[in-house]
Amino acid sequence: MQEPHFDLNWDDLKHLLVLSREGTLSAAARVLDTSRVTVKARISNLENNLGVRLFSQDKTGYKLTRDGRDLAGYALECERQLRLALAGQTKDSTPRLKIRVGVVEGIGNGYLAEKLSNWLKGQNIDFELASLPKQARITNREADICVTLEEPEGENIIKKVLTPYTLGIYASQGYIDEHGPLKGSQDVLDHMWVGYVRDHIFSQTLNYHEELSANLKYAFRGTSMVSQLYATAAGLGLGIFPIYLTSDFNLVRVCPEIAFARKYWISSSSDLHRFPGHLSVWKFLLETTQKDHRLFYEGN
């Protein structure tokens, strides 16, 4: 029996992958440098040829169905093989590389941006440092290298602890002058706090306030760590921050006996060794954070 024929090509699969990553037709169209109509037509073409629905749609955007996830897995493998093939074709030339590192806000803005900027001078790399509002995934090709708060999951990836880090409780000097010195761990529960907007926390590792008490009183909540740093520096309350982030805001560590231990993870494709430029960024990130481990972590 002859197999049914359908018109399946890489461009259609590329549109599937980008829409699954971006979530909306407009965002996918920007990435692909095309129109919303074209993206929708490409997906419709795939669905019609395969006879299945690949996406469901709700108020937040487009999400892969079960059939869509199955096809996306094969498309990711196609993408992976194409990248390897292209790397093999260009190994004897020296085009400028384009590398994206996806990072969480704190270490991205407060540490890596400066370190990477200095290192990139003279490198043959067009570099993107993308602060992602959620846990980036290598398996979704959101970045070539990811720095995340939680241990990455997925197939065909490599992962390591980039660095452990310590968080402490901080206040502005003005807040201390107004309210008096904090007398101990029980005393902090009676003060006003600065923290995250609870229903916008994208990782449970950020729930350190709950480790103190579920009944803290908040003067300010923000969705980003930077907004919380400014609010704490303005004297609105106590905040919890990584110890490497606070020096530029003139914050004072209070109750140093209270500390929170966390880790940053780094991950990339298991094919990393096939891409020398990507591997050089990977090694730089690991070596630099290791040299600065005392900046991040109070332990040995």
Side-chain angles (χ1 to χ4, degrees), residues 79-284:
E79 184 180 58
R80 174 173 170 267
Q81 293 300 327
L82 283 170
R83 292 177 74 234
L84 289 173
L86 290 171
Q89 291 293 323
T90 59
K91 63 184 178 181
D92 295 326
S93 60
T94 56
R96 283 186 68 82
L97 299 172
K98 184 174 182 178
I99 299 176
R100 172 183 285 189
V101 175
V103 293
V104 287
E105 178 194 19
I107 193 171
N109 296 337
Y111 177 77
L112 291 179
E114 179 181 3
K115 295 290 184 179
L116 280 163
S117 296
N118 290 326
W119 178 76
L120 284 164
K121 296 174 183 176
Q123 301 285 341
N124 193 34
I125 297 174
D126 291 332
F127 190 83
E128 295 181 353
L129 187 67
S131 294
L132 302 173
K134 60 183 188 308
Q135 288 289 90
R137 294 183 182 275
I138 289 296
T139 51
N140 287 347
R141 294 292 307 134
E142 293 174 288
D144 301 299
I145 297 171
C146 287
V147 176
T148 56
L149 295 170
E150 296 174 349
E151 182 176 359
E153 297 178 354
E155 299 179 353
N156 299 317
I157 68 170
I158 56 174
K159 57 187 177 182
K160 294 186 70 172
V161 173
L162 178 63
T163 182
Y165 67 102
T166 302
L167 302 100
I169 300 176
Y170 289 86
S172 69
Q173 186 60 55
Y175 184 90
I176 295 172
D177 292 342
E178 180 179 352
H179 296 276
L182 280 75
K183 302 179 177 63
S185 58
Q186 189 61 35
D187 188 26
V188 299
L189 303 181
D190 297 326
H191 284 259
M192 298 302 294
W193 282 85
V194 170
Y196 281 99
V197 178
R198 185 171 298 170
D199 57 353
H200 283 266
I201 293 178
F202 66 88
S203 170
Q204 288 305 306
T205 63
L206 299 174
N207 257 336
Y208 21 76
H209 292 82
E210 297 289 322
E211 295 178 24
L212 285 174
S213 172
N215 300 310
L216 296 178
K217 297 172 290 184
Y218 290 90
F220 181 93
R221 292 180 187 263
T223 57
S224 75
M225 187 173 291
V226 170
S227 67
Q228 295 172 47
L229 282 163
Y230 278 110
T232 304
L236 290 181
L238 308 180
I240 299 175
F241 303 107
I243 60 175
Y244 69 88
L245 268 184
T246 58
S247 59
D248 290 342
F249 290 84
N250 297 316
L251 296 177
V252 179
R253 180 92 178 263
V254 297
C255 298
E257 69 275 11
I258 302 175
F260 306 85
R262 296 293 191 269
K263 297 175 181 176
Y264 289 120
W265 288 82
I266 185 171
S267 60
S268 188
S269 164
S270 57
D271 298 318
L272 178 69
H273 64 284
R274 304 283 294 273
F275 300 93
H278 296 67
L279 184 60
S280 67
V281 175
W282 172 275
K283 289 181 176 179
F284 172 77

Side-chain angles (χ1 to χ4, degrees), residues 280-294:
S280 67
V281 175
W282 172 275
K283 289 181 176 179
F284 172 77
L285 295 176
L286 286 167
E287 291 170 0
T288 301
T289 50
Q290 177 59 36
K291 288 177 185 176
D292 287 342
H293 71 279
R294 294 189 182 278

Side-chain angles (χ1 to χ4, degrees), residues 55-67:
F55 286 92
S56 61
Q57 187 180 8
D58 59 25
K59 63 182 181 181
T60 64
Y62 284 77
K63 293 181 173 57
L64 289 169
T65 63
R66 180 187 297 179
D67 290 318

